[in-house]
Coordinates of all heavy atoms in Angstrom, one line a residue:
M1 N -4.3 -8.4 -0.8 CA -2.9 -8.4 -0.4 C -2.8 -7.7 0.9 O -2.1 -8.1 1.9 CB -2.0 -7.8 -1.5 CG -0.6 -7.8 -1.2 SD 0.5 -7.0 -2.5 CE -0.3 -7.4 -4.0
A2 N -3.4 -6.5 1.0 CA -3.3 -5.7 2.2 C -4.0 -6.4 3.4 O -3.4 -6.4 4.5 CB -3.9 -4.3 2.0
E3 N -5.2 -6.9 3.1 CA -5.9 -7.6 4.2 C -5.1 -8.7 4.8 O -5.1 -8.9 6.0 CB -7.3 -8.0 3.7 CG -8.1 -8.6 4.8 CD -9.5 -8.9 4.4 OE1 -9.9 -8.8 3.3 OE2 -10.3 -9.4 5.3
K4 N -4.6 -9.5 3.9 CA -3.8 -10.7 4.4 C -2.6 -10.2 5.3 O -2.4 -10.7 6.4 CB -3.3 -11.5 3.3 CG -2.5 -12.7 3.7 CD -2.0 -13.5 2.5 CE -1.2 -14.7 3.0 NZ -0.4 -15.4 2.0
H5 N -1.9 -9.2 4.8 CA -0.8 -8.7 5.6 C -1.2 -8.1 6.9 O -0.6 -8.3 7.9 CB 0.0 -7.6 4.7 CG 1.2 -7.1 5.5 ND1 2.4 -7.7 5.5 CD2 1.3 -5.9 6.2 CE1 3.2 -7.0 6.2 NE2 2.6 -5.9 6.6
W6 N -2.3 -7.2 6.8 CA -2.8 -6.6 8.0 C -3.2 -7.6 9.1 O -3.0 -7.5 10.2 CB -4.0 -5.7 7.7 CG -3.6 -4.5 6.9 CD1 -2.4 -4.1 6.4 CD2 -4.5 -3.4 6.5 NE1 -2.5 -3.0 5.7 CE2 -3.7 -2.5 5.8 CE3 -5.8 -3.2 6.7 CZ2 -4.3 -1.3 5.2 CZ3 -6.4 -2.0 6.2 CH2 -5.6 -1.1 5.5
R7 N -3.9 -8.7 8.6 CA -4.4 -9.7 9.6 C -3.2 -10.4 10.2 O -3.3 -10.7 11.4 CB -5.3 -10.7 8.9 CG -6.7 -10.1 8.6 CD -7.6 -11.2 8.1 NE -8.9 -10.6 7.7 CZ -9.9 -10.3 8.6 NH1 -9.7 -10.4 9.9 NH2 -11.0 -9.7 8.1
E8 N -2.2 -10.6 9.5 CA -1.0 -11.3 10.1 C -0.2 -10.4 11.0 O 0.2 -10.8 12.1 CB -0.1 -11.9 9.0 CG 1.0 -12.7 9.5 CD 1.9 -13.3 8.4 OE1 1.4 -13.4 7.3 OE2 3.0 -13.8 8.7
F9 N 0.1 -9.2 10.5 CA 1.0 -8.3 11.2 C 0.4 -7.2 12.0 O 1.1 -6.5 12.8 CB 2.0 -7.7 10.2 CG 2.9 -8.8 9.6 CD1 2.6 -9.3 8.3 CD2 4.0 -9.3 10.3 CE1 3.4 -10.3 7.8 CE2 4.8 -10.3 9.7 CZ 4.5 -10.8 8.5
R10 N -0.9 -6.9 11.8 CA -1.6 -5.8 12.5 C -3.0 -6.3 13.0 O -4.0 -5.7 12.8 CB -1.8 -4.6 11.5 CG -0.6 -4.0 10.9 CD 0.3 -3.3 11.8 NE -0.2 -2.2 12.5 CZ 0.1 -0.9 12.3 NH1 0.9 -0.6 11.3 NH2 -0.5 0.0 12.9
P11 N -3.0 -7.4 13.8 CA -4.3 -8.0 14.2 C -5.1 -7.1 15.1 O -6.3 -7.0 15.0 CB -3.9 -9.3 14.9 CG -2.4 -9.1 15.3 CD -1.8 -8.2 14.2
K12 N -4.4 -6.3 15.9 CA -5.2 -5.3 16.8 C -5.9 -4.3 15.9 O -7.0 -3.9 16.2 CB -4.2 -4.7 17.8 CG -3.6 -5.6 18.8 CD -2.6 -4.9 19.7 CE -1.9 -5.9 20.6 NZ -0.8 -5.2 21.3
M13 N -5.1 -3.7 15.0 CA -5.7 -2.7 14.1 C -6.9 -3.3 13.3 O -8.0 -2.7 13.2 CB -4.7 -2.2 13.1 CG -5.2 -1.1 12.2 SD -4.0 -0.6 10.9 CE -4.2 -2.0 9.7
V14 N -6.7 -4.5 12.8 CA -7.8 -5.2 12.1 C -9.0 -5.4 13.0 O -10.2 -5.1 12.6 CB -7.4 -6.5 11.4 CG1 -8.5 -7.3 10.9 CG2 -6.4 -6.2 10.3
A15 N -8.8 -5.8 14.2 CA -9.9 -6.1 15.1 C -10.7 -4.8 15.4 O -11.9 -4.7 15.4 CB -9.4 -6.7 16.4
E16 N -9.9 -3.7 15.6 CA -10.6 -2.4 15.9 C -11.4 -1.9 14.6 O -12.5 -1.4 14.8 CB -9.5 -1.3 16.2 CG -8.9 -1.6 17.6 CD -7.7 -0.6 17.9 OE1 -7.5 0.3 17.1 OE2 -7.0 -0.9 18.9
L17 N -10.8 -2.1 13.5 CA -11.5 -1.7 12.2 C -12.7 -2.5 12.0 O -13.8 -2.0 11.6 CB -10.5 -1.7 11.0 CG -9.4 -0.7 11.0 CD1 -8.4 -1.0 9.9 CD2 -10.0 0.7 10.9
E18 N -12.6 -3.8 12.3 CA -13.8 -4.7 12.1 C -14.9 -4.3 13.1 O -16.1 -4.3 12.8 CB -13.4 -6.1 12.3 CG -12.7 -6.7 11.1 CD -12.3 -8.2 11.2 OE1 -11.9 -8.6 12.3 OE2 -12.4 -8.9 10.2
A19 N -14.5 -4.0 14.3 CA -15.4 -3.7 15.4 C -16.2 -2.4 15.1 O -17.4 -2.2 15.4 CB -14.7 -3.5 16.7
T20 N -15.6 -1.5 14.3 CA -16.2 -0.2 14.0 C -16.8 -0.3 12.6 O -17.3 0.8 12.1 CB -15.2 1.0 14.1 OG1 -14.1 0.7 13.3 CG2 -14.8 1.1 15.6
G21 N -16.7 -1.4 11.9 CA -17.2 -1.5 10.5 C -16.4 -0.8 9.5 O -16.9 -0.4 8.4
Q22 N -15.1 -0.5 9.8 CA -14.3 0.3 8.8 C -13.3 -0.5 8.1 O -12.6 0.1 7.3 CB -13.6 1.4 9.6 CG -14.6 2.4 10.3 CD -13.8 3.5 11.0 OE1 -13.0 3.1 11.9 NE2 -14.1 4.7 10.8
L23 N -13.2 -1.8 8.3 CA -12.1 -2.5 7.6 C -12.2 -2.4 6.1 O -11.2 -2.1 5.5 CB -12.1 -4.0 8.1 CG -11.0 -4.8 7.4 CD1 -9.6 -4.3 7.8 CD2 -11.1 -6.3 7.9
H24 N -13.3 -2.7 5.6 CA -13.5 -2.7 4.1 C -13.1 -1.3 3.5 O -12.4 -1.2 2.5 CB -14.9 -3.1 3.7 CG -15.1 -3.2 2.2 ND1 -14.5 -4.1 1.4 CD2 -15.8 -2.4 1.4 CE1 -14.8 -3.9 0.2 NE2 -15.6 -2.8 0.1
E25 N -13.6 -0.3 4.2 CA -13.4 1.1 3.8 C -11.9 1.5 3.8 O -11.3 2.1 2.9 CB -14.1 2.1 4.7 CG -13.9 3.5 4.4 CD -14.6 4.5 5.4 OE1 -15.6 4.0 6.0 OE2 -14.2 5.6 5.5
M26 N -11.2 1.0 4.9 CA -9.8 1.3 5.0 C -9.0 0.5 3.9 O -8.0 1.0 3.4 CB -9.3 1.0 6.4 CG -9.9 1.9 7.4 SD -9.5 3.7 7.1 CE -7.8 3.7 7.4
L27 N -9.4 -0.7 3.6 CA -8.7 -1.5 2.6 C -8.8 -0.8 1.2 O -7.9 -0.7 0.5 CB -9.2 -2.9 2.6 CG -8.8 -3.8 3.7 CD1 -9.7 -5.1 3.8 CD2 -7.3 -4.1 3.7
L28 N -10.0 -0.3 0.9 CA -10.2 0.4 -0.3 C -9.4 1.7 -0.4 O -8.8 2.0 -1.4 CB -11.7 0.7 -0.5 CG -12.6 -0.5 -0.8 CD1 -14.1 0.0 -0.9 CD2 -12.2 -1.1 -2.1
E29 N -9.4 2.4 0.7 CA -8.6 3.6 0.8 C -7.1 3.3 0.6 O -6.4 4.0 -0.2 CB -8.8 4.3 2.1 CG -8.1 5.7 2.2 CD -8.4 6.4 3.5 OE1 -9.6 6.3 4.0 OE2 -7.5 7.0 4.1
A30 N -6.6 2.3 1.2 CA -5.2 1.9 1.0 C -4.9 1.5 -0.5 O -3.9 1.9 -1.0 CB -4.9 0.7 1.9
E31 N -5.8 0.8 -1.1 CA -5.7 0.5 -2.5 C -5.7 1.7 -3.4 O -4.8 1.9 -4.3 CB -6.8 -0.5 -2.9 CG -6.7 -0.9 -4.4 CD -7.9 -1.8 -4.8 OE1 -8.7 -2.1 -4.0 OE2 -7.9 -2.1 -6.0
E32 N -6.6 2.6 -3.1 CA -6.7 3.8 -4.0 C -5.5 4.7 -3.8 O -4.9 5.2 -4.8 CB -8.0 4.6 -3.6 CG -9.2 4.0 -4.0 CD -10.5 4.6 -3.4 OE1 -10.4 5.7 -2.8 OE2 -11.6 4.1 -3.7
K33 N -5.0 4.9 -2.6 CA -3.8 5.7 -2.3 C -2.6 5.1 -3.0 O -1.8 5.8 -3.5 CB -3.6 6.0 -0.8 CG -4.6 6.9 -0.2 CD -4.3 7.1 1.2 CE -5.3 8.2 1.8 NZ -5.0 8.5 3.2
T34 N -2.5 3.8 -2.8 CA -1.3 3.1 -3.4 C -1.4 3.3 -4.9 O -0.3 3.6 -5.5 CB -1.4 1.6 -3.1 OG1 -1.3 1.5 -1.7 CG2 -0.2 0.8 -3.7
D35 N -2.5 3.1 -5.6 CA -2.6 3.2 -7.0 C -2.3 4.6 -7.5 O -1.5 4.8 -8.4 CB -4.0 2.8 -7.5 CG -4.3 1.4 -7.5 OD1 -3.3 0.6 -7.4 OD2 -5.5 1.0 -7.6
T36 N -2.8 5.6 -6.8 CA -2.6 7.0 -7.1 C -1.1 7.4 -7.0 O -0.5 7.9 -8.0 CB -3.4 7.9 -6.2 OG1 -4.8 7.6 -6.4 CG2 -3.1 9.4 -6.6
E37 N -0.5 7.1 -5.9 CA 0.9 7.4 -5.7 C 1.8 6.6 -6.6 O 2.8 7.1 -7.1 CB 1.3 7.2 -4.2 CG 0.8 8.3 -3.4 CD 1.4 8.3 -2.0 OE1 2.6 8.0 -1.8 OE2 0.6 8.6 -1.0
L38 N 1.5 5.3 -6.8 CA 2.3 4.5 -7.7 C 2.3 5.1 -9.1 O 3.4 5.2 -9.7 CB 1.7 3.1 -7.8 CG 2.4 2.1 -8.6 CD1 3.7 1.6 -7.9 CD2 1.5 0.9 -8.9
D39 N 1.2 5.5 -9.6 CA 1.1 6.1 -10.9 C 1.9 7.4 -11.0 O 2.6 7.7 -11.9 CB -0.4 6.4 -11.3 CG -0.5 6.9 -12.7 OD1 0.0 6.2 -13.7 OD2 -1.1 7.9 -12.9
Q40 N 1.8 8.3 -10.0 CA 2.5 9.6 -10.0 C 4.0 9.3 -10.0 O 4.7 10.0 -10.7 CB 2.1 10.4 -8.7 CG 0.7 10.9 -8.8 CD 0.3 11.5 -7.4 OE1 0.9 11.4 -6.4 NE2 -0.9 12.2 -7.5
I41 N 4.5 8.5 -9.1 CA 5.9 8.2 -9.0 C 6.4 7.6 -10.3 O 7.5 7.9 -10.8 CB 6.2 7.4 -7.8 CG1 5.9 8.2 -6.5 CG2 7.7 6.9 -7.8 CD1 6.0 7.4 -5.2
R42 N 5.6 6.6 -10.8 CA 6.0 5.9 -12.1 C 6.2 6.9 -13.2 O 7.2 6.9 -13.9 CB 5.0 4.9 -12.4 CG 5.3 4.0 -13.6 CD 4.2 3.1 -14.0 NE 3.0 3.8 -14.4 CZ 2.8 4.4 -15.6 NH1 3.8 4.3 -16.5 NH2 1.7 5.0 -15.9
R43 N 5.3 7.8 -13.3 CA 5.4 8.9 -14.4 C 6.6 9.7 -14.2 O 7.3 10.0 -15.2 CB 4.1 9.8 -14.4 CG 2.9 9.1 -14.9 CD 1.7 10.0 -14.6 NE 0.5 9.3 -14.9 CZ -0.2 9.3 -16.1 NH1 0.3 10.0 -17.1 NH2 -1.3 8.6 -16.3
Q44 N 6.9 10.1 -13.0 CA 8.1 10.9 -12.7 C 9.4 10.1 -13.1 O 10.3 10.7 -13.7 CB 8.2 11.3 -11.2 CG 7.1 12.3 -10.8 CD 7.1 12.5 -9.3 OE1 7.8 11.8 -8.5 NE2 6.2 13.4 -8.9
L45 N 9.4 8.9 -12.7 CA 10.6 8.1 -13.0 C 10.8 7.8 -14.5 O 11.9 7.8 -15.0 CB 10.5 6.7 -12.3 CG 10.6 6.8 -10.8 CD1 10.3 5.5 -10.1 CD2 12.0 7.3 -10.3
I46 N 9.7 7.7 -15.2 CA 9.8 7.6 -16.7 C 10.4 8.8 -17.3 O 11.2 8.8 -18.2 CB 8.4 7.2 -17.3 CG1 8.0 5.8 -17.0 CG2 8.4 7.4 -18.8 CD1 6.6 5.4 -17.3
L47 N 9.9 10.0 -16.8 CA 10.5 11.3 -17.3 C 12.0 11.4 -17.0 O 12.7 12.1 -17.7 CB 9.8 12.4 -16.6 CG 8.3 12.6 -17.1 CD1 7.6 13.8 -16.3 CD2 8.3 13.0 -18.6
Q48 N 12.4 10.7 -15.9 CA 13.9 10.7 -15.6 C 14.7 9.6 -16.4 O 15.9 9.5 -16.2 CB 14.0 10.4 -14.1 CG 13.5 11.5 -13.2 CD 13.5 11.1 -11.7 OE1 14.2 10.1 -11.3 NE2 12.8 11.9 -10.9
G49 N 14.0 8.9 -17.3 CA 14.7 8.0 -18.2 C 14.5 6.5 -17.9 O 15.1 5.7 -18.7
L50 N 13.8 6.1 -16.9 CA 13.6 4.7 -16.7 C 12.6 4.1 -17.7 O 11.7 4.9 -18.2 CB 13.1 4.4 -15.3 CG 14.2 4.3 -14.2 CD1 14.9 5.6 -14.0 CD2 13.5 3.9 -12.9
T51 N 12.7 2.8 -17.9 CA 11.7 2.2 -18.8 C 10.4 2.1 -17.9 O 10.4 2.2 -16.7 CB 12.1 0.8 -19.2 OG1 12.1 -0.1 -18.0 CG2 13.4 0.7 -19.9
S52 N 9.3 1.8 -18.6 CA 8.0 1.7 -17.9 C 8.1 0.6 -16.8 O 7.6 0.8 -15.7 CB 6.9 1.3 -18.9 OG 5.7 1.3 -18.3
Q53 N 8.7 -0.5 -17.1 CA 8.8 -1.6 -16.1 C 9.7 -1.2 -15.0 O 9.4 -1.5 -13.8 CB 9.3 -2.9 -16.8 CG 9.2 -4.1 -15.8 CD 7.8 -4.4 -15.4 OE1 6.9 -4.6 -16.2 NE2 7.6 -4.5 -14.1
Q54 N 10.8 -0.6 -15.3 CA 11.7 -0.2 -14.2 C 11.1 0.9 -13.3 O 11.2 0.8 -12.1 CB 13.0 0.5 -14.8 CG 13.9 -0.5 -15.5 CD 15.0 0.2 -16.2 OE1 14.8 1.3 -16.8 NE2 16.2 -0.4 -16.3
A55 N 10.3 1.8 -13.9 CA 9.7 2.8 -13.2 C 8.6 2.2 -12.3 O 8.4 2.6 -11.1 CB 9.1 3.9 -14.1
H56 N 7.8 1.3 -12.8 CA 6.8 0.6 -12.0 C 7.4 -0.1 -10.9 O 6.9 0.0 -9.7 CB 6.0 -0.3 -12.9 CG 4.9 -1.0 -12.2 ND1 5.1 -2.2 -11.5 CD2 3.6 -0.7 -11.9 CE1 4.0 -2.6 -10.9 NE2 3.1 -1.7 -11.1
D57 N 8.4 -0.9 -11.1 CA 9.0 -1.7 -10.0 C 9.6 -0.8 -8.9 O 9.4 -1.0 -7.7 CB 10.1 -2.6 -10.6 CG 9.6 -3.7 -11.5 OD1 8.4 -3.9 -11.5 OD2 10.4 -4.3 -12.2
R58 N 10.2 0.3 -9.3 CA 10.8 1.2 -8.3 C 9.7 1.9 -7.6 O 9.8 2.1 -6.3 CB 11.8 2.2 -9.0 CG 12.5 3.0 -7.9 CD 13.7 3.7 -8.4 NE 14.7 2.8 -9.0 CZ 15.7 3.2 -9.8 NH1 15.9 4.5 -10.0 NH2 16.5 2.4 -10.3
A59 N 8.7 2.4 -8.3 CA 7.6 3.0 -7.6 C 6.9 2.1 -6.6 O 6.5 2.5 -5.5 CB 6.6 3.6 -8.7
W60 N 6.7 0.9 -7.0 CA 6.1 -0.1 -6.1 C 6.9 -0.3 -4.8 O 6.3 -0.3 -3.7 CB 5.9 -1.5 -6.8 CG 5.4 -2.6 -5.9 CD1 6.2 -3.7 -5.6 CD2 4.2 -2.7 -5.2 NE1 5.4 -4.5 -4.8 CE2 4.2 -3.9 -4.5 CE3 3.1 -1.9 -5.1 CZ2 3.2 -4.3 -3.7 CZ3 2.0 -2.3 -4.3 CH2 2.1 -3.5 -3.6
E61 N 8.2 -0.4 -5.0 CA 9.1 -0.5 -3.8 C 8.9 0.7 -2.9 O 9.0 0.6 -1.7 CB 10.5 -0.6 -4.2 CG 10.9 -1.9 -4.9 CD 10.7 -3.1 -4.0 OE1 11.0 -3.1 -2.8 OE2 10.2 -4.2 -4.5
M62 N 8.7 1.9 -3.4 CA 8.6 3.1 -2.7 C 7.2 3.2 -2.0 O 7.2 3.7 -0.8 CB 8.8 4.3 -3.6 CG 10.2 4.4 -4.1 SD 10.4 5.6 -5.5 CE 10.3 7.1 -4.5
V63 N 6.2 2.8 -2.6 CA 4.8 3.0 -2.1 C 4.3 1.9 -1.3 O 3.5 2.1 -0.4 CB 3.9 3.3 -3.3 CG1 2.5 3.4 -2.9 CG2 4.3 4.5 -4.0
R64 N 4.7 0.7 -1.5 CA 4.0 -0.5 -0.9 C 3.9 -0.4 0.6 O 3.0 -0.9 1.2 CB 4.6 -1.8 -1.4 CG 6.0 -2.0 -1.0 CD 6.5 -3.2 -1.6 NE 7.8 -3.5 -1.0 CZ 8.4 -4.7 -1.0 NH1 7.8 -5.7 -1.6 NH2 9.5 -4.9 -0.5
T65 N 5.0 0.1 1.3 CA 5.0 0.1 2.7 C 4.2 1.2 3.3 O 4.0 1.3 4.5 CB 6.4 0.1 3.3 OG1 7.1 1.3 2.8 CG2 7.2 -1.1 2.9
R66 N 3.8 2.2 2.5 CA 3.0 3.3 3.0 C 1.6 2.9 3.4 O 1.0 3.4 4.3 CB 2.9 4.4 2.0 CG 4.3 5.1 1.8 CD 4.2 6.2 0.9 NE 5.5 6.6 0.5 CZ 5.8 7.4 -0.5 NH1 4.9 7.8 -1.3 NH2 7.1 7.7 -0.8
Y67 N 1.0 2.0 2.6 CA -0.4 1.7 2.8 C -0.8 0.2 2.8 O -1.7 -0.2 3.4 CB -1.3 2.3 1.6 CG -1.0 3.8 1.5 CD1 -0.3 4.3 0.4 CD2 -1.4 4.7 2.4 CE1 0.0 5.6 0.2 CE2 -1.2 6.1 2.3 CZ -0.5 6.5 1.2 OH -0.2 7.8 1.0
I68 N 0.0 -0.6 2.1 CA -0.2 -2.1 2.0 C 0.5 -2.9 3.1 O -0.1 -3.5 3.9 CB 0.1 -2.6 0.6 CG1 -0.6 -1.8 -0.5 CG2 -0.2 -4.1 0.5 CD1 -2.1 -1.9 -0.5
F69 N 1.8 -2.8 3.0 CA 2.7 -3.6 3.9 C 3.1 -2.8 5.1 O 4.2 -2.4 5.3 CB 3.9 -4.2 3.2 CG 3.5 -5.1 2.1 CD1 3.8 -4.8 0.8 CD2 2.8 -6.3 2.4 CE1 3.5 -5.7 -0.2 CE2 2.4 -7.1 1.4 CZ 2.8 -6.9 0.1
L70 N 2.1 -2.5 6.0 CA 2.4 -1.7 7.2 C 3.3 -2.5 8.1 O 3.3 -3.7 8.2 CB 1.1 -1.4 7.9 CG 0.0 -0.7 7.1 CD1 -1.3 -0.5 7.9 CD2 0.6 0.7 6.6
P71 N 4.1 -1.7 8.9 CA 5.0 -2.4 9.9 C 4.2 -3.2 10.9 O 3.1 -2.8 11.2 CB 5.8 -1.3 10.5 CG 5.0 0.0 10.3 CD 4.2 -0.3 9.0
P72 N 4.8 -4.2 11.5 CA 4.1 -5.0 12.5 C 3.8 -4.2 13.7 O 4.5 -3.2 14.0 CB 5.1 -6.1 12.8 CG 6.1 -6.1 11.7 CD 6.1 -4.8 11.1
E73 N 2.7 -4.6 14.4 CA 2.4 -4.0 15.7 C 3.4 -4.3 16.7 O 3.9 -5.4 16.7 CB 1.0 -4.4 16.1 CG -0.1 -4.0 15.2 CD -1.5 -4.6 15.6 OE1 -1.5 -5.6 16.3 OE2 -2.5 -4.0 15.1
S74 N 3.6 -3.4 17.6 CA 4.5 -3.8 18.8 C 3.7 -4.5 19.8 O 2.5 -4.3 19.9 CB 5.2 -2.6 19.3 OG 4.2 -1.6 19.7
A75 N 4.3 -5.4 20.5 CA 3.6 -6.3 21.5 C 3.1 -5.5 22.7 O 3.5 -4.5 23.0 CB 4.5 -7.4 21.9

């Protein structure tokens, strides 16, 4: 998911990461950080009274743009 988004909206970044052999590493890091933060936020939201699904959905909305759906590169 991240790779597809990055290739479409961050082609310069992807080219630089590929040139230095870091693309795969950065994709794994983005996945790990997303999973970790998603779980932490989800747990907090459940403690605040949300259902597991509500907490997951809200946590995903909060975390996804930090590591997966990065903003487009400026021209």
Side-chain angles (χ1 to χ4, degrees):
M1 186 181 320
E3 184 174 3
K4 181 181 178 192
H5 180 82
W6 291 5
R7 285 189 183 280
E8 183 175 349
F9 295 100
R10 302 293 298 253
K12 293 175 191 172
M13 181 186 80
V14 169
E16 290 172 10
L17 291 172
E18 286 180 322
T20 59
Q22 295 179 310
L23 179 61
H24 183 69
E25 179 183 336
M26 293 303 293
L27 287 166
L28 288 176
E29 186 176 318
E31 179 183 356
E32 290 171 5
K33 286 182 175 181
T34 298
D35 286 345
T36 299
E37 286 191 34
L38 182 75
D39 186 57
Q40 291 171 347
I41 294 170
R42 186 185 62 80
R43 290 172 187 264
Q44 292 171 355
L45 292 171
I46 288 172
L47 290 174
Q48 293 175 13
L50 273 64
T51 67
S52 181
Q53 186 63 53
Q54 289 170 330
H56 179 273
D57 292 348
R58 188 163 302 167
W60 171 246
E61 290 296 321
M62 295 168 72
V63 173
R64 68 186 187 157
T65 56
R66 292 182 192 165
Y67 308 107
I68 304 293
F69 298 119
L70 302 176
E73 294 173 341
S74 53

